[in-house]
Amino acid sequence: MKKRIVVALGGNAILTNNPSAQGQQKALADTAYYLADFVEAGHELIITHGNGPQVGNLLLQQQLGATLQNPAMPLDTAVAMTQGSIGYWLENALVDELKKRGISKLATTILTQVVVSEEDPAFQSPSKPIGPFLSAEEADQESEKTGAVFKEDAGRGYRKVVPSPKPIDIVEYPVIQQLVESGVVTIAGGGGGIPVVIRNGQYKGIEAVIDKDFASEKIAALVHADMLVILTGVDHVCINYNEPNQKDLTKVTVMEIENYIQQNQFAPGSMLPKVEAAIAFIKENPRGKAVITSLENIKNLLLEETGTIITA
């Protein structure tokens, strides 16, 4: 039975240990191999993705080369630029993979604006890491030069942090819906979307980065998706992680997983946003399913519905 599925790619699906264009294209070709299974199974597919490392690297490159005659672009524009570059690589990789399977399919990328509120408390407390990991000394030097805020991230160094407001609306969602209904594989919401606010009836870009899982959830709800698949580095969400009594969650209800949140089972900067986005999708679309699993588990998900599957 054909389903409309939104798949949110994690960072490793785009960037591994080689940040060059060729390295990222290779990673996306590997990713397309798995994503093509959704299309081959006859489903309508919308793909979203992150861009944290890419947009951070782009900002650093621009700052290093900025002059009065050639100034660096603001963050919202950098998000748009990386939406375009990653989308370009991904749509070509996916079309190429489908051709290998004898499937003729169009794919396209939609530059996606995501509406946020200027009153969102996130603007008072920047928290979303972007860009490369720096040493404490490098972070201090960069902060002195640019005024950026840096925080320690996962014991791997310091990264620039920016506000991460919650999405309110997706400007282009009617176009996304029309494309997917026409049979086009649609890449949208890249990097969580371009953050915009409404001022005097006009969309204005703002200095922020939107969590791609929350943006993906909003897209999935607005286009009436049957399933939201949030990809991460593991096949299942776990409770009692790294403890002797660690347990994989397979099929779980919203009420059950909310109880696990109350028990602080999920790390705030890692699994928690994915779980919260999955819950939000089910609450907006009670007949749908939200799945958290790995890229490599897609075939098993399609055949046996394995992974962490959250329902109302």
Side-chain angles (χ1 to χ4, degrees), residues 28-97:
L28 284 167
D30 295 341
T31 295
Y33 171 81
Y34 294 100
L35 293 178
D37 287 346
F38 287 108
V39 181
E40 191 169 25
H43 300 303
E44 297 176 342
L45 182 61
I46 299 167
I47 306 167
T48 65
H49 61 82
N51 73 341
Q54 291 85 357
V55 76
N57 290 343
L58 177 59
L59 289 171
L60 285 177
Q61 291 164 2
Q62 293 210 0
Q63 289 164 4
L64 288 171
T67 65
L68 288 175
Q69 293 74 30
N70 186 26
M73 293 294 105
L75 180 54
D76 60 302
T77 302
V79 170
M81 294 164 75
T82 52
Q83 271 195 19
S85 61
I86 295 170
Y88 153 62
W89 293 330
L90 179 54
E91 64 183 65
N92 285 342
L94 193 53
V95 168
D96 288 346
E97 177 60 35

Side-chain angles (χ1 to χ4, degrees), residues 2-9 31-32 34-48 90 94-95 98 105-108 176-177 179-188 219 223 225-229 231 298 302:
K2 181 170 75 173
K3 295 179 181 177
R4 182 170 299 170
I5 300 174
V6 174
V7 178
L9 297 180
T31 295
Y34 294 100
L35 293 178
D37 287 346
F38 287 108
V39 181
E40 191 169 25
H43 300 303
E44 297 176 342
L45 182 61
I46 299 167
I47 306 167
T48 65
L90 179 54
L94 193 53
V95 168
L98 290 170
K105 201 79 171 172
L106 292 173
T108 194
I176 297 168
Q177 186 161 299
L179 283 166
V180 76
E181 287 173 354
S182 300
V184 179
V185 177
T186 305
I187 301 161
I219 291 172
V223 303
D226 301 293
M227 184 182 291
L228 169 64
V229 180
L231 297 178
I298 284 174
L302 288 169

Side-chain angles (χ1 to χ4, degrees), residues 8-36:
L9 297 180
N12 288 339
I14 307 167
L15 178 64
T16 52
N17 58 357
N18 183 351
S20 70
Q22 293 80 5
Q24 293 182 75
Q25 286 170 306
K26 172 63 169 62
L28 284 167
D30 295 341
T31 295
Y33 171 81
Y34 294 100
L35 293 178

Side-chain angles (χ1 to χ4, degrees), residues 29 64 66 103 113 124 139 147 151 185 213 224 249 304:
L64 288 171
I103 301 170
Q113 300 175 91
Q124 307 305 317
K151 290 184 180 178
V185 177
D213 294 320
H224 307 293
L249 298 180
E304 304 168 9

Side-chain angles (χ1 to χ4, degrees), residues 238-288:
C238 298
I239 56 172
N240 305 318
Y241 182 66
N242 268 346
E243 300 293 332
N245 59 340
Q246 177 176 311
K247 176 186 175 184
D248 291 344
L249 298 180
T250 52
K251 291 180 171 61
V252 61
T253 67
V254 166
M255 183 178 295
E256 288 168 338
I257 207 160
E258 283 182 329
N259 285 336
Y260 292 134
I261 290 175
Q262 294 297 318
Q263 297 169 23
N264 297 317
Q265 288 282 356
F266 311 120
S270 177
M271 193 58 75
L272 181 59
K274 301 179 191 309
V275 170
E276 290 177 332
I279 291 170
F281 171 67
I282 298 301
K283 287 186 174 180
E284 290 193 70
N285 184 8
R287 291 184 295 179

Side-chain angles (χ1 to χ4, degrees), residues 137-156:
E137 184 179 356
E138 289 171 330
D140 287 341
Q141 291 172 351
E142 190 64 32
S143 183
E144 286 179 15
K145 281 195 297 184
T146 65
V149 178
F150 287 82
K151 290 184 180 178
E152 195 275 333
D153 183 13
R156 297 166 61 192

